[in-house]
Amino acid sequence: MLEIVVLICAIAAAFYTPIEAKKVHDGWVRPKFKGTPEEFRAKYIKQLKAFTWIGFGLGALYAVLGALIADNSAELIIKLVIGAVWIVVGAINLTMRRKYFESAAGA
C-alpha cells in the first residue's frame, strides 16, 4: 500500500513541476507569499534544487532496497520502477531549474 502512495506522489510531482515552474518563470507568485516576486522566485529555485536531490535520493534508495530486501521478483520490479520514477522526478526538477531559472541569481 505504501508503494502505491509513493508511486502516485512521484507521478504527480513529475507532471505538476513543469507546469508550476513555467508559471513561476512567467511571474506568478502564490497569493499567501509575503514578499516580492524576485524573493519568491529565489525561494522557488531553492525548492527545485531540494526536490532534485530528494528525487535522486529516493530513486537510489528504492533501487538499493529493491536489490537488498526484495523477497521475490515482483517486489524487486516494483521497487525498481518506483526508483526509476523518482529519478525521473529529480531529472525533471533539474531540467526545469536549468531551463527556466539558469540566469537567475542563486541558481
Side-chain angles (χ1 to χ4, degrees):
M1 184 64 164
L2 181 62
E3 281 84 8
I4 294 172
V5 173
V6 170
L7 186 60
I8 289 171
C9 289
I11 292 170
F15 282 105
Y16 187 68
T17 298
I19 295 167
E20 189 176 46
K22 178 152 179 27
K23 286 179 11 183
V24 171
H25 174 71
D26 292 342
W28 176 79
V29 177
R30 289 202 171 120
K32 293 183 180 181
F33 182 74
K34 307 284 190 240
T36 65
E38 292 80 21
E39 291 172 346
F40 181 76
R41 188 173 173 165
K43 288 187 183 277
Y44 190 78
I45 292 169
K46 288 182 183 179
Q47 177 182 326
L48 283 177
K49 186 175 183 180
F51 279 130
T52 299
W53 288 108
I54 289 170
F56 287 139
L58 284 175
L61 181 68
Y62 265 93
V64 169
L65 283 177
L68 292 178
I69 65 170
D71 294 334
N72 52 30
S73 60
E75 188 177 349
L76 172 65
I77 291 170
I78 289 170
K79 290 200 184 299
L80 291 178
V81 167
I82 292 172
V85 173
W86 274 111
I87 290 172
V88 167
V89 169
I92 287 172
N93 279 288
L94 182 64
T95 304
M96 291 300 107
R97 202 172 98 220
R98 288 184 177 173
K99 180 178 180 181
Y100 291 124
F101 307 107
E102 190 173 67
S103 63

